[in-house]
Every structure is written in structure tokens, then in C-alpha cells.
Amino acid sequence: MSASNSAPWTYEVHELSEGYSAIVYDARGNRIGGFDHLDEATARLIAAAPELYEALLGSLTIVSAAAYDRGLSPQATDLMHAHLRRVKAALAKAEGRQ
């Protein structure tokens, strides 16, 4: 992610005649994307995206190391490898590689 899109992102909820709408802003106060009429839960998730990405990226090292721990049971090893595949796939999607 570029510096202009790094955390923290924020959101605001606005009351409209037809209900509520949320808008998401990057760290510089620029509106994120062309979203109209977001519900608050979606805005919260989008605003948390940079932190979620960084947390997932940080966990990649830990999960990678644990997945190759020879002291794990075969079942635990299988679970770790499956989780590692999900982490890598999510990161690839977030980075536009998938």
C-alpha cells in the first residue's frame, strides 16, 4: 500500500433523507473510492482495511515458521499449511495479484 493510503483510515456517517450513508477517508482526508450510500458496517470494514492488511502481512512470518515446525502433529501441520494458503491468497487478492 502506498503512503497516502496507509492507516489510519476513518469514516463518517451522514444522515440523508433516505437513511444514512457512510463515507471512508484515507489518512490524508481524501475520500476513498466512489462509494455511495455505504452502511456503517461496510464503512468500518473498509476503514480497517490497512490495519487488517498489515496484521495479516505480519502474521505471514509467524504462520510460515509454525507450519514447518517438526514438533507439530500431522493434523496440526495440515491445519497450519491450510491457514498459510489462506493467508497468502488473501494477501495476493489485496495486492491485486489474484
Side-chain angles (χ1 to χ4, degrees), residues 11-39:
Y11 70 95
E12 295 177 347
V13 178
H14 301 273
E15 187 171 359
L16 306 173
S17 59
E18 63 272 9
Y20 292 91
S21 178
I23 300 171
V24 181
Y25 300 93
D26 68 14
R28 293 183 179 171
N30 299 313
R31 186 175 172 174
I32 300 290
F35 304 115
D36 288 320
H37 305 291
L38 289 175
D39 60 76

Side-chain angles (χ1 to χ4, degrees), residues 30-94:
N30 299 313
R31 186 175 172 174
I32 300 290
F35 304 115
D36 288 320
H37 305 291
L38 289 175
D39 60 76
E40 186 173 357
T42 302
R44 237 186 351 259
L45 182 59
I46 293 169
E51 287 104 332
L52 292 169
Y53 175 81
E54 290 298 325
L56 194 56
L57 191 60
S59 73
L60 183 61
T61 302
I62 296 165
V63 173
S64 293
Y68 295 100
D69 181 347
R70 296 196 191 288
L72 293 175
S73 70
Q75 295 84 2
T77 299
D78 289 346
L79 287 172
M80 293 299 286
H81 283 280
H83 184 69
L84 187 57
R85 285 189 297 276
R86 289 193 304 272
V87 168
K88 288 180 177 181
L91 288 169
K93 188 173 184 178

